[in-house]
Amino acid sequence: MSDLNDDDLIGEEEWTGEEFDAALLEEELRQAAAVLDPVPAELQQIAVDAYALHDLDARVAELTFDSLVDALPVRGVTDAPRMLTFRAGEVTVDVEVTTHGLLGQVLPPQPARIEVLGGPRPGSPLTADDLGRFTGDVPLSGPFALRLRTGGDVVVTEWLRA
């Protein structure tokens, strides 16, 4: 048997029979963790960006081609663009990632609004023209994904590292 009594279990405060305030405890624990073990700002931004990808109506576009994995290297080419192809149902997105940004096309050709997710700051939304072409002049760094809005459909790509 243990030699503990009710005072040892409760601490200095006396148990009054009132309900335990879980929200207050959670807030105190959150404040203690923020002081003792703060989340790095970069990791917090990545988590926020990943949550922003969450969209219940979105279809996930699967990566079907990545030139880093699927293409044969070309001798003498040191700064080749990275070519990516994503597919979600009948929608295909071809993207070329360079050191200067990205350009791509939505197929079948259609207007779309594209959001580049990732990086320390949210990027400007890109617009695909009637032929589905779009460009972005901000270089990608770190993990990124694309969210496309075409008509009533939302398509998101897998997260990749630039």
Side-chain angles (χ1 to χ4, degrees):
M1 298 252 3
S2 174
D3 292 333
L4 296 176
N5 60 35
D6 288 342
D7 291 337
D8 293 331
L9 296 175
I10 297 171
E12 295 180 14
E13 297 180 5
E14 185 175 335
W15 178 256
T16 62
E18 294 179 21
E19 279 200 31
F20 177 73
D21 189 353
L24 179 62
L25 176 61
E26 180 182 351
E27 181 58 32
E28 288 179 4
L29 290 172
R30 189 180 312 277
Q31 289 175 4
V35 171
L36 299 174
D37 188 20
V39 176
E42 299 82 22
L43 181 60
Q44 187 170 1
Q45 183 61 46
I46 290 171
V48 168
D49 290 341
Y51 182 77
L53 184 63
H54 175 75
D55 194 332
L56 295 177
D57 296 333
R59 293 184 295 155
V60 176
E62 178 184 358
L63 179 66
T64 59
F65 178 81
D66 184 345
S67 62
L68 289 180
V69 178
D70 302 319
L72 295 173
V74 177
R75 186 180 343 169
V77 177
T78 58
D79 195 22
R82 183 176 184 185
M83 307 300 288
L84 304 167
T85 300
F86 299 94
R87 177 173 280 261
E90 295 179 11
V91 176
T92 300
V93 183
D94 290 322
V95 181
E96 180 178 319
V97 180
T98 69
T99 56
H100 304 292
L102 59 85
L103 60 99
Q105 184 173 19
V106 179
L107 299 168
Q110 58 189 298
R113 195 179 90 213
I114 298 104
E115 298 170 70
V116 179
L117 306 172
R121 294 177 302 239
S124 306
L126 308 174
T127 304
D129 62 16
D130 291 339
L131 297 177
R133 300 173 300 190
F134 61 92
T135 61
D137 58 358
V138 177
L140 299 176
S141 64
F144 74 95
L146 303 175
R147 179 186 293 134
L148 295 88
R149 297 184 190 280
T150 60
D153 289 336
V154 177
V155 175
V156 294
T157 67
E158 297 179 29
W159 282 87
L160 296 172
R161 185 164 293 280

